[in-house]
């Protein structure tokens, strides 16, 4: 009998809590006093185990069930203990004897009589790990290649098939390789907070050129240099940022680099309507860029959730960036009702130089940050429900664009149905007749000094029609899509 590590014990408690409450893994980890009480190394392991199990539990269960006579009768305590050990064996590279031994002890804490059963199952999994990952049980070669790719990322087969169909096998391989690895962290600096950069530098070193901790180098443009976006600080070690003064007071906002680039593309002088503002990360970035470059801007940030809208307003107020932004609660599919007060003040339907639709989506470009996505998402979500909602939002937003203005559409998806497919449907509709695609790289903000590197990076990731798409990969940031449409 070996001594059970505290990290595994805490990880099991949290997984059982998640199964009971349906909470999100990162929220539960952040709120757990048991995690905070662990030594730093153990806390890191507990977090990695919880996030990894949540992200890959479908594949873990396939393996566990293969060596059980009656898998349907296994209780949650034993199953989650086995999931932890199986994740270590298959995806974390823990030495097999240690993983099996710790797994058996973890099961023993919940059901002593099941220790022998756990030993048998985990030894079989350790012996057959490579066979499973290579899909040796699948006969047809093309199907085997797809199944192996899904298993290597701990993902549902149907979802990997959709990514392959949308972006090709090589891009899907890149995304899968990064799926269970830590994502790079970047922040956007508040230009009104002069102390934030100095404080951040003390915390993490040189914030301008540091590489991404745990994920290789930061994204590179075609020139081979690290992408420099005005206001962005790359490669921030997340553990050193949590709870710091710059974050609390709005001196910085955590945001993926590609998302920062999209928010910057939607920033221009004049009036702006942001549809789907959420908690306001992109609202913060647009306000910061406008302040940084001296733009006079009148913006409305629309969000369906009252709670998220309040959080947006509070952060902007703390940051000193609230003056040019009005936060409004309402449905983006019914802008006449949502903007009724705005229209009344304007003496008619208010139109905007820029309307930015940050659409709800599958989140398939950010799955490594949100481990619940792969196994909660359904095929009908990406084929029907989400594209229909995205098209409705885009069509509604189009009615609020001034002649000659721009309509920007963005998602954090890598799936064609939610991205190019929605744009094509819009342009073929009555609502889209007045619009045509323009390259994202030609957004007016990118002509300003300091955006040269960003413009090259955007062009590198644009298709022939100027739509911007990134794919998650080792050493890269998340998968985001952006299309820019102009009223002609």
């Amino acid at each position: 009998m070996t001594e059970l590590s505290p990290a595994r014990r805490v990880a099991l408690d949290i997984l059982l809590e998640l199964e009971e409450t349906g909470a999100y893994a990162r929220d539960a980890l952040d709120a757990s006093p048991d995690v905070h009480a662990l030594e730093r190394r153990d806390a890191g392991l507990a977090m990695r185990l919880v996030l990894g199990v949540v992200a890959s539990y479908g594949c873990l269960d396939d393996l566990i069930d293969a060596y059980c006579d009656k898998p349907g009768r296994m209780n949650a305590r034993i199953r989650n203990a086995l999931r932890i050990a199986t994740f270590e064996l298959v995806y974390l590279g823990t030495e097999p004897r240690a993983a099996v031994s710790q797994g058996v002890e973890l099961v023993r804490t919940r059901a002593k009589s099941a220790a022998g059963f756990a030993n048998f199952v985990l030894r079989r999994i350790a012996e057959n790990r490579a066979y499973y990952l290579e899909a040796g049980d699948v006969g047809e070669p093309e199907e085997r290649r797809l199944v192996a790719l899904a298993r290597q990322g701990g993902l549902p087969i149907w979802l990997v098939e959709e990514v392959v169909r949308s972006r090709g096998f090589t891009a899907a391989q890149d995304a899968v390789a990064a799926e269970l690895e830590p994502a790079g962290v970047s922040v956007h600096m508040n230009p009104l907070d002069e102390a934030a950069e100095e404080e951040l530098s003390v915390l993490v070193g040189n914030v301008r050129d540091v590489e991404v901790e745990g994920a290789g180098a930061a994204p590179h443009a075609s020139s081979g240099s690290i992408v420099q976006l005005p206001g962005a600080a790359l490669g921030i070690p997340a553990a050193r940022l949590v709870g710091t003064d710059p974050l609390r007071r709005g001196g910085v906002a955590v945001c993926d680099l590609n998302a920062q680039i999209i928010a910057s593309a939607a920033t221009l002088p004049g009036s702006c309507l942001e549809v789907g503002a959420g908690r306001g990360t992109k609202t913060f970035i647009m306000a910061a860029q406008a302040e940084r470059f001296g733009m006079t801007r009148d913006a409305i940030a629309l969000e369906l959730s009252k709670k998220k809208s309040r959080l947006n307003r509070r952060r902007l107020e703390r940051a000193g960036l609230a003056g040019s932004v009005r936060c409004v609660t309402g449905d983006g599919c019914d802008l006449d009702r949502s903007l009724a007060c705005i229209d009344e003040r304007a003496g008619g339907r208010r139109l905007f130089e820029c309307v930015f639709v940050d659409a709800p989506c599958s989140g398939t470009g950010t799955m490594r940050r949100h481990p619940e996505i792969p196994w909660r998402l359904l095929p009908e979500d990406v084929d029907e429900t989400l594209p229909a909602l995205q098209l409705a939002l885009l069509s509604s937003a189009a009615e609020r664009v001034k002649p000659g203005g721009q309509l920007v559409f963005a998602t954090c998806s890598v799936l064609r149905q939610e991205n190019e497919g929605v744009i094509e449907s819009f342009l073929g509709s009555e609502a889209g007749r007045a619009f045509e695609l323009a390259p994202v790289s030609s957004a007016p903000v990118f002509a300003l000094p300091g955006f040269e590197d960003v413009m090259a990076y955007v062009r590198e990731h644009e298709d022939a029609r100027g739509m911007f798409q990134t794919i998650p990969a080792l050493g890269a940031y998340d998968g985001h899509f952006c299309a820019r449409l102009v009223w002609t």
Side-chain angles (χ1 to χ4, degrees):
M1 185 182 299
T2 59
E3 184 178 354
L4 178 63
S5 78
R8 293 174 176 88
R9 190 187 298 271
V10 169
L12 178 56
D13 288 341
I14 292 175
L15 287 169
L16 291 171
E17 176 191 338
L18 295 178
E19 196 154 311
E20 182 177 334
T21 65
Y24 290 104
R26 289 190 183 277
D27 292 342
L29 287 164
D30 289 344
S32 172
D34 292 334
V35 171
H36 296 305
L38 293 172
E39 292 184 4
R40 182 172 179 177
R41 183 174 179 179
D42 283 331
L45 176 58
M47 293 177 67
R48 188 75 187 273
L49 293 174
V50 170
L51 296 173
V53 167
V54 171
S56 61
Y57 77 83
C59 290
L60 302 177
D61 284 353
D62 281 347
L63 258 173
I64 292 166
D65 292 351
Y67 302 104
C68 298
D69 291 334
K70 298 177 181 179
R73 296 178 61 181
M74 190 185 306
N75 68 47
R77 294 169 298 170
I78 295 174
R79 181 171 290 279
N80 278 289
L82 290 175
R83 283 172 174 170
I84 290 172
T86 303
F87 177 75
E88 291 197 70
L89 286 166
V90 177
Y91 297 112
L92 206 55
T94 303
E95 197 278 323
R97 287 177 297 179
V100 170
S101 176
Q102 286 287 297
V104 169
E105 293 311 308
L106 196 56
V107 169
R108 195 190 303 275
T109 65
R110 301 295 173 153
K112 290 182 180 180
S113 61
F117 162 75
N119 184 64
F120 169 80
V121 170
L122 293 176
R123 285 183 180 276
R124 297 293 81 73
I125 290 171
E127 292 167 0
N128 292 285
R129 171 188 178 275
Y131 183 78
Y132 175 78
L133 290 175
E134 294 166 6
D137 53 322
V138 179
E140 201 278 318
E142 195 60 32
E143 183 185 1
R144 186 188 308 129
R145 188 169 78 139
L146 182 68
V147 172
L149 186 60
R151 289 177 178 178
Q152 288 157 18
L155 296 167
I157 295 169
W158 75 266
L159 185 53
V160 172
E161 189 173 15
E162 291 289 355
V163 177
V164 170
R165 187 179 294 119
S166 292
R167 304 300 162 199
F169 196 84
T170 299
Q173 282 181 308
D174 290 341
V176 166
E179 178 61 25
L180 297 172
E181 295 299 318
V185 177
S186 58
V187 302
H188 198 83
M189 312 293 295
N190 180 356
L192 298 178
D193 192 329
E194 296 181 358
E197 184 169 341
E198 182 177 349
E199 291 175 65
L200 202 61
S201 296
V202 171
L203 287 168
V204 301
N206 187 335
V207 299
R208 296 188 181 280
D209 300 309
V210 67
E211 291 190 341
V212 180
E213 184 175 273
H220 289 69
S222 55
S223 64
S225 60
I226 292 176
V227 177
Q228 295 289 347
L229 171 71
L234 309 182
I236 306 301
R240 300 185 199 175
L241 184 63
V242 175
T244 59
D245 286 341
L247 193 61
R248 279 195 296 264
R249 69 172 184 264
V252 301
V254 178
C255 185
D256 181 80
L257 175 64
N258 291 320
Q260 291 190 48
I261 289 171
I262 290 171
S264 298
T267 306
L268 76 173
S271 57
C272 174
L273 171 63
E274 180 188 5
V275 178
R279 291 179 170 85
T281 301
K282 291 189 178 75
T283 312
F284 177 100
I285 292 162
M286 289 188 286
Q289 293 290 37
E291 181 69 31
R292 185 170 285 112
F293 289 95
M295 298 181 189
T296 301
R297 188 168 170 269
D298 175 21
I300 293 172
L302 182 73
E303 168 53 40
L304 184 60
S305 164
K306 289 183 180 180
K307 180 179 178 181
K308 291 179 180 178
S309 193
R310 285 196 299 269
L311 291 171
N312 189 2
R313 165 58 56 185
R314 288 171 186 168
R315 174 159 59 179
L316 290 171
E317 289 174 347
R318 287 197 305 270
L321 295 168
S324 63
V325 183
R326 179 174 179 180
C327 295
V328 176
T329 302
D331 185 352
C333 292
D334 189 359
L335 290 176
D336 286 346
R337 175 177 292 183
S338 300
L339 300 179
C341 292
I342 307 295
D343 291 343
E344 186 177 352
R345 290 184 180 181
R349 177 180 279 185
R350 177 85 185 274
L351 301 180
F352 302 85
E353 272 89 11
C354 178
V355 178
F356 175 36
V357 180
D358 195 10
C361 67
S362 63
T364 45
T366 61
M367 293 189 294
R368 58 186 171 173
R369 297 186 194 272
H370 305 289
E372 290 82 7
I373 288 174
W375 296 97
R376 289 188 181 181
L377 201 62
L378 299 173
E380 53 264 35
D381 294 334
V382 299
D383 286 333
E384 301 169 11
T385 308
L386 287 168
L389 174 58
Q390 292 153 357
L391 179 59
L393 287 167
L394 189 56
S395 300
S396 177
E399 298 179 355
R400 293 291 178 148
V401 180
K402 280 185 177 180
Q406 69 173 8
L407 176 60
V408 179
F409 175 80
T411 75
C412 55
S413 172
V414 299
L415 300 181
R416 189 170 294 275
Q417 301 98 302
E418 299 180 85
N419 297 339
E420 295 94 334
V422 171
I423 296 300
E424 288 160 5
S425 295
F426 172 72
L427 290 173
S429 70
E430 183 64 26
R433 286 183 60 187
F435 293 86
E436 66 178 28
L437 280 166
V440 174
S441 59
S442 68
V445 72
F446 294 150
L448 296 175
F451 283 98
E452 298 85 0
D453 195 32
V454 176
M455 185 184 291
Y457 176 74
V458 172
R459 284 175 176 165
E460 185 180 329
H461 292 86
E462 282 179 336
D463 67 9
R465 295 181 293 174
M467 291 185 278
F468 174 74
Q469 176 75 68
T470 57
I471 307 294
L474 289 171
Y477 285 92
D478 288 343
H480 287 269
F481 171 83
C482 183
R484 182 170 163 265
L485 303 123
V486 295
W487 178 302
T488 56

